[in-house]
């Protein structure tokens, strides 16, 4: 919605500065999204007339003109435009003029003849092409014949104005009309707002002899007014109207079309004019379109309709798509004699859907979509008819045919100043509050012996229906910034933070400490990602978005791995090859159609990179065990117990020999492994990558685990090493189990410190060395006692696993 | 014998002075003062001396022993000091070489800001809450006074999963969920951070971003409390000198509603490119909870009031860290992440 300074001036007798309008509307709650000073674009350009035109003696394509610019003498100007003819009126940039872009007009010599200025095209003046007819876009700009010579062009076209691009909130659709913008501005500055008076003879029965109106279903339209104007003389509209329309971004066309546009911009009520004589049955019917029904709209395109669209029919044929566009078959043209003005109210949801489906969004449809007060429709159509008569463009048939099945509700709301102050935390007195509503132009009915008053809400303010709406009016008129600042005096909050939130925070802190950087990726992914991961089966349980921005963002992720792998790929491409990253986020799984999906909180980690050579050697040897170390430390720090890593050859995303399930108390909680070379190839990554993905759901309770102190040992411990060779396929976890099983509680710690399978070791075997720590809490263990336990461990390893001691 | 002793004294002193290491000194000590040392051997011959001579020589021998002991001691100290000096000299390093690389990761700027917001509000007694990211139309819209076909739904371009299920377009549905859980208990005093989704993608909009919702419902909560709370928040978030400006606006679930601007943190409100010369930057939307929203949750809107606010975490992170393109937040370039 655009408001212009000159137009507002028609209703408020005060010359506002641009700043005043900007601040006033903003404080009133109308967002000023942009301010455009139209007069800043060019200077020194006037309306001129080509008096004489001859060919340049030395150049066929140039015209040598004598131009009247309102000065005493004619000015000699050379022009290259082919449409330059004697008698035409056109913009003239005189010597000293400045065109858009700062281009200065100077005296020039063209093929030996002097030129004192330039005849301009609309394009050179950077006039928005939407404001121009096709003819006006060609060559130099042909101006209307009746324009006064010598007048500043900006004034002539209405560009001596400032426009304000307004953001109108959905509750204030009334402000899609200039009148109500003026009312807001007047209210803010306590200035009188003059609303144009209209003749209302709507009750006169004359109109009904010309046409009837029938609304088939009040759900489609709850008001449709028709007024008839006879003896129409189609001509250009008066200059003042052309100017404000142009400044508001609308192209003047002819008096009738301009009036409908003008009244729409003024009142917010879109109007449509039909050529009355083209209506066959003189009977307007508003009905739902039939599936597949066709109509050729004003733009000459045949439209196919569906049953959710609303159609205006003349008794025989469709004549307009309601609220969206008129039909070509009933268009007003130069031969039109009688017209029918439509001022109606259509179901906004239907108009919205229709304009979307047909790709036809206009100033009119966008107003219908926002909802208009039906009571405004009569004022608007009367205003249009008055304007026609004022311009002597036709003579009105008295009366209006008004189908109005559901009358707009009238609201009178009681203002309770005590409650207003209690809600706002203010101390505004009752009289002041009442005066605010007077400023708004509302009727205030005081109640004797009480602070309370009844506020009569005008029909156009559909946003005010209950007391809280009055509170808002008081707040904004009083001024939000005058309201005090206090802190709530509220009882202690007994609600406790959810544990899963705390758990996520802990995971992030831990991984940060372990050297990983947090990433955040989109929760929606490309369905192809699952194929890349070799997990196509995940697509079935994935949640799909019906209206994604693109295929690449069309399914909700069922795993955090696609996101983290893509980030790794992008970084590697930028030559950032050493990466340690993680993400904490939700994954989604469709359990049942039309129910909320299961959301599961997970953490994913990814590490990759080379050994980094340092002056002290190498660091960051990233391999499976680096990843595993992170997993183990994370789980330990979180206090999750009963963790084991079980080899998993089935995980198709991972290298079959380098992947494990992370088990907690025997249940799978996640997986860890080296990414399968095929998956890496699918992602276009050519370095080894290690990932883990772990669920966080179900582990919230570990946060409540209380650590308890165990007594420090009083007696010394003793260490023994054990080294043996064993078959290569014996797992460390098996050896650990045997050692643990064979020892008494005197074995307090064991640690693998060497793995070797080089020379001197039989093929298919490996050599392992463990350091074992023995200790007793009651006494110092003797060498003999230690030797005995140590021996039983050795025996067990030999018997159960075929270890050979070295 | 006296001559013998004096000669030992002189030769020992010479030897000690000539010693270049502690080991050498030790040997000399044994050579002279040890059990089989030269001085001891001389003293063994004392028996042959006369009774008059014996105490005199004995005293001399003691003097020499003490004297040599002292010399040994001094020399030993000097040599130890010298040895230490040499060791230290040898162990000289280039302290300007880089330290061994320790691994510290980084926390995403959005998380950092979210954490700060949580801190500020939990200090004020709010509890952190969460809700689902895929949400019922009912909670995302209807419970917020946005029935189907309400024009205000147009303000938020919505991703649909089905007719009744959406990707939540704001964190506001958590308001309704928490009120359902608590009503009629008072107070409700929560903030709810989380991811939200809208069909928008350019330099200032991302189809996924983060919000924090705030809600308080109790008896006697006022618009002044809202202003005070938000002022306290911006002072803690952007600095003690920050101020706020409230502009009337519209959200279906609050009334009165306000857009809230913070004084521009780049120019202190003087006007610059980033605040488009206005001195103010919009950071959040807020208002008094609409009575309909309270009523739908089962609260008596005649007795209790509340306020709510919602802010974009990503936007605040961009302001706070001077990030000019929202897409940087989700590109996750490691060189970007490591700056935080």
């Amino acid at each position: 919605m655009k408001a212009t300074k000159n137009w507002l001036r028609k209703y408020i007798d005060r010359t506002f500065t641009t700043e005043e309008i900007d601040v006033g509307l903003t404080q009133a709650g109308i967002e000023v999204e942009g301010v455009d000073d139209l007069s800043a674009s060019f200077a020194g350009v006037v309306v001129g007339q080509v008096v004489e035109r001859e060919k340049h003696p030395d150049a066929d394509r140039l015209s040598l003109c004598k131009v009247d610019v309102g000065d005493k003498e004619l000015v000699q100007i050379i022009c290259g435009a082919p449409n330059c003819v004697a008698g035409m009126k056109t913009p003239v940039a005189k010597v000293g003029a400045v065109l858009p872009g700062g281009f200065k007009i100077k005296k020039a010599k063209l093929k030996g003849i002097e030129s004192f200025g330039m005849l301009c095209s609309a394009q050179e003046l950077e006039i928005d092409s939407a404001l121009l007819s096709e003819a006006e876009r060609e060559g130099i700009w042909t101006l209307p014949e009746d324009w006064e010579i010598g007048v500043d062009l900006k004034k002539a076209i209405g560009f001596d104005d400032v426009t304000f691009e307004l953001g109108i909130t959905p509750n204030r659709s009334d402000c899609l009309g200039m009148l109500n913008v003026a009312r807001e501005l007047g209210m803010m500055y306590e200035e009188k707002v003059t609303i144009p008076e209209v003749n209302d003879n709507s009750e006169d029965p004359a109109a009904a002899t010309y046409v009837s109106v029938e609304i088939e279903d009040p759900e489609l339209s709850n008001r449709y007014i028709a007024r008839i104007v006879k003896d129409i003389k189609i001509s250009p509209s008066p200059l003042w109207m052309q100017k404000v329309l142009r400044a508001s971004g609308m192209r003047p066309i002819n008096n009738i079309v301009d009036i409908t546009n003008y009244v729409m911009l003024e009142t917010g009520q879109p109007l449509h004019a039909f050529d009355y004589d083209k209506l066959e049955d003189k009977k307007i019917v508003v009905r739902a379109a039939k599936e597949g029904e066709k109509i050729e709209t004003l733009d000459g395109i045949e439209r196919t309709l569906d049953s959710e669209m609303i159609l205006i029919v003349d008794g025989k044929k469709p004549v307009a798509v309601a609220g969206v566009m008129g039909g070509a078959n009933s268009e007003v043209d130069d031969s039109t004699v009688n017209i029918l003005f439509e001022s109606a109210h259509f179901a906004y949801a239907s108009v919205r859907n229709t304009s979307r489906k047909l790709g036809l969004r206009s100033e009119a449809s966008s107003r219908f979509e926002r909802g208009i007060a039906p009571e405004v429709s009569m004022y608007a159509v009367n205003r249009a008819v008055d304007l026609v008569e004022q311009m002597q463009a036709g003579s009105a048939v008295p009366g209006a045919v008004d189908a109005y099945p559901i009358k707009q509700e009238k609201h009178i709301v009681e203002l309770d100043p005590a409650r207003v102050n209690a809600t706002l935390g203010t101390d505004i007195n009752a009289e002041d509050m009442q005066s605010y509503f007077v400023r708004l132009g509302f009727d205030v009915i005081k109640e004797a012996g009480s602070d309370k008053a009844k506020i009569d809400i005008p029909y156009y303010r559909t946003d005010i229906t209950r007391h809280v709406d009055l509170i808002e009016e008081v707040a904004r008129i009083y001024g939000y910034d005058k309201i005090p600042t206090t802190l709530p005096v509220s009882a202690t909050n007994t609600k406790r933070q959810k544990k899963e939130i705390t758990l996520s925070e802990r995971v992030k802190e831990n991984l940060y400490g372990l050297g990983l950087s947090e990433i955040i990726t989109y929760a929606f992914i490309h369905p192809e990602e699952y194929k890349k991961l070799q997990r196509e089966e995940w697509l079935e349980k994935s949640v799909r978005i019906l209206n994604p921005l693109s295929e690449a963002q069309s399914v909700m992720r069922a795993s955090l791995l696609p996101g983290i792998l893509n980030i790794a790929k992008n970084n590697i491409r930028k030559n950032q090859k050493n990466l340690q990253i993680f993400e904490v986020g939700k994954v989604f799984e469709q359990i049942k159609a039309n129910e909320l999906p299961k959301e599961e909180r997970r953490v994913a980690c990814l590490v990759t990179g080379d050994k980094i050579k340092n002056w002290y050697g190498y660091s960051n040897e990233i391999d499976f065990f680096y990843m595993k170390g992170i997993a183990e430390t994370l789980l330990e720090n979180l206090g999750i117990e009963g963790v084991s890593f079980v080899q998993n050859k089935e995980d198709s995303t991972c290298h079959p020999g380098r992947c494990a399930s992370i088990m907690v108390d025997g249940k799978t909680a996640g997986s860890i492994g080296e990414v399968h070379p095929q998956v890496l190839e699918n992602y276009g990554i050519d370095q080894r990558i290690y990932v883990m993905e772990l669920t966080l759901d179900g582990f919230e309770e570990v946060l409540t685990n209380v650590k308890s102190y165990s007594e420090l040992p009083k007696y010394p411990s003793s260490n023994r090493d054990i080294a043996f060779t064993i078959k290569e396929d014996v797992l460390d976890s098996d050896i650990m189990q045997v050692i643990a099983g064979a020892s008494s509680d005197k074995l307090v710690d064991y640690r693998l410190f060497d793995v070797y399978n080089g020379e001197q070791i039989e093929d298919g075997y490996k050599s392992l060395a463990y350091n074992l720590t023995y200790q007793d809490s009651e006494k110092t263990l003797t060498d003999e006692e230690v030797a005995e336990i140590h021996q039983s461990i050795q025996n067990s390893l030999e018997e159960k696993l075929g270890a050979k001691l070295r | 014998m006296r001559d013998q002793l004096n000669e030992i004294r002189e030769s020992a002193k010479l030897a000690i002075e000539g010693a270049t290491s502690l080991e050498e000194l030790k040997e000399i000590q044994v050579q002279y003062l040890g059990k089989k040392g030269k001085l001891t051997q001389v003293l063994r011959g004392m028996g042959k001396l006369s009774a008059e001579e014996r105490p005199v020589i004995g005293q001399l021998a003691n003097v020499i022993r003490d004297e040599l002991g002292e010399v040994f001691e001094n020399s030993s100290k000097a040599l130890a000091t010298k040895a230490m000096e040499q060791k230290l000299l040898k162990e000289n390093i280039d302290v300007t070489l880089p330290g061994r690389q320790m691994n510290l990761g980084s926390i995403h700027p959005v998380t950092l800001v979210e954490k700060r917001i949580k801190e500020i509000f939990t200090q004020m007694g709010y509890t952190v809450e969460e809700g689902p990211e895929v949400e019922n139309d009912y909670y995302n819209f209807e419970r917020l006074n946005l029935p189907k076909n309400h024009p205000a739904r147009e303000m938020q371009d919505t991703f649909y999963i089905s007719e009744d299920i959406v990707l939540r377009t704001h964190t506001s549905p958590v308001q309704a969920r928490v009120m359902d859980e608590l009503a009629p208990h008072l107070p409700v005093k929560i903030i709810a951070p989380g991811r939200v989704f809208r069909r928008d993608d350019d330099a200032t909009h991302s189809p996924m971003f983060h919000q924090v919702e705030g809600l308080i419902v109790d008896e006697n909560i006022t618009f002044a409390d809202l202003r005070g709370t938000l002022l306290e928040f911006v002072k803690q978030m952007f600095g003690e000198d920050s101020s706020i400006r409230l502009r009337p606006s519209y959200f279906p679930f609050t009334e009165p509603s306000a857009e809230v601007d913070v004084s521009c943190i780049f120019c202190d409100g003087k006007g610059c490119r980033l605040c488009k010369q206005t001195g103010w930057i919009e950071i959040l939307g807020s208002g008094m909870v609409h009575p309909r929203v309270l009523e739908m949750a089962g609260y008596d809107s005649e007795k209790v009031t509340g306020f709510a606010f919602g802010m974009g975490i990503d936007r605040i992170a961009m302001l706070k860290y001077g990030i000019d393109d929202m897409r940087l937040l989700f590109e996750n370039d490691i060189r970007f992440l490591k700056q935080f």
Side-chain angles (χ1 to χ4, degrees), chain B residues 22-193:
Chain B
L22 282 172
E23 291 76 30
E24 207 179 317
L25 195 65
K26 196 82 190 165
E27 262 173 45
I28 296 164
Q29 196 175 13
V30 173
Q31 206 181 329
Y32 286 90
L33 299 176
K35 281 180 189 170
K36 289 175 187 168
K38 287 185 181 166
L39 188 64
T40 320
Q41 275 172 2
V42 172
L43 290 179
R44 282 210 185 106
M46 287 252 288
K48 292 172 197 156
L49 294 176
S50 66
E52 295 83 44
E53 263 184 328
R54 214 180 283 164
V56 179
I57 295 292
Q59 201 187 359
L60 179 65
N62 281 337
V63 168
I64 291 172
R65 188 203 306 265
D66 290 351
E67 203 181 308
L68 287 181
E70 200 174 318
V71 175
F72 269 117
E73 186 67 16
N74 289 342
S75 190
S76 161
K77 273 187 191 157
L79 279 175
T81 308
K82 208 173 147 198
M84 173 74 81
E85 278 168 0
Q86 275 172 348
K87 180 172 184 262
L88 293 181
L89 203 63
K90 229 167 95 185
E91 288 177 358
N92 191 37
I93 57 166
D94 175 1
V95 295
T96 65
L97 281 171
R100 271 176 219 260
Q101 206 181 334
M102 296 297 139
N103 260 344
L104 256 199
S106 54
I107 295 290
H108 196 282
V110 167
T111 304
L112 290 176
V113 169
E114 181 184 305
K115 197 172 157 217
R116 181 74 191 116
I117 295 171
K118 284 187 202 166
E119 275 168 13
I120 294 169
F121 283 103
T122 49
Q123 277 165 21
M124 290 198 256
Y126 292 74
T127 312
V128 183
E129 273 293 321
E130 275 187 353
E133 293 174 16
V134 182
E135 185 56 283
N136 291 306
D137 182 283
Y138 173 71
Y139 279 114
N140 193 70
F141 291 122
E142 286 182 39
R143 284 293 298 276
L144 296 162
N145 203 20
L146 271 150
K148 285 218 157 97
N149 280 325
H150 191 289
R153 284 198 180 196
E154 295 289 298
M155 290 163 91
Q156 304 174 350
D157 235 332
T158 310
F159 287 113
Y160 283 89
I161 299 298
S162 73
E163 203 180 322
D164 300 313
I165 297 177
V166 301
L167 301 190
R168 65 173 175 189
T169 55
H170 44 194
T171 41
S172 310
V174 184
Q175 284 188 25
R177 286 182 172 271
V178 172
M179 282 193 281
D180 279 357
E181 190 188 321
L182 293 182
H185 176 81
L186 291 172
V188 180
K189 203 173 175 186
I190 57 129
I191 59 162

Side-chain angles (χ1 to χ4, degrees), chain A residues 413-456:
Chain A
V413 185
E414 188 179 61
L415 174 70
D416 178 352
R419 233 178 120 195
V420 175
N421 281 324
T423 305
L424 295 180
T426 47
D427 192 17
I428 308 168
N429 73 48
E431 264 173 50
D432 284 351
M433 270 189 215
Q434 289 168 13
S435 76
Y436 295 163
F437 291 96
V438 175
R439 269 166 70 180
L440 278 168
F442 295 8
D443 285 335
V444 176
I445 305 136
K446 293 188 188 182
E447 292 175 23
S450 164
D451 274 352
K452 295 182 181 173
K454 289 208 160 56
I455 309 295
D456 186 344

Side-chain angles (χ1 to χ4, degrees), chain B residues 189-225:
Chain B
K189 203 173 175 186
I190 57 129
I191 59 162
R195 297 178 188 209
V196 300
F197 307 87
R198 291 192 200 168
R199 296 189 77 242
D200 238 339
D201 198 2
D202 58 41
T204 52
H205 297 93
S206 161
M208 183 189 91
F209 58 103
H210 300 77
Q211 278 191 340
V212 177
E213 190 77 7
L215 173 71
I216 182 165
V217 176
D218 204 352
E219 285 167 6
N220 304 316
I221 298 292
T222 67
F223 196 91
D225 291 337

Side-chain angles (χ1 to χ4, degrees), chain B residues 311-330:
Chain B
M311 62 184 105
I313 304 176
D314 320 69
R315 189 167 157 68
I316 294 177
M318 288 170 75
L319 283 177
K320 222 176 147 53
Y321 300 117
I323 301 164
D324 54 4
D325 187 336
M326 191 156 190
R327 285 172 285 212
L328 279 169
L329 294 175
F330 303 108

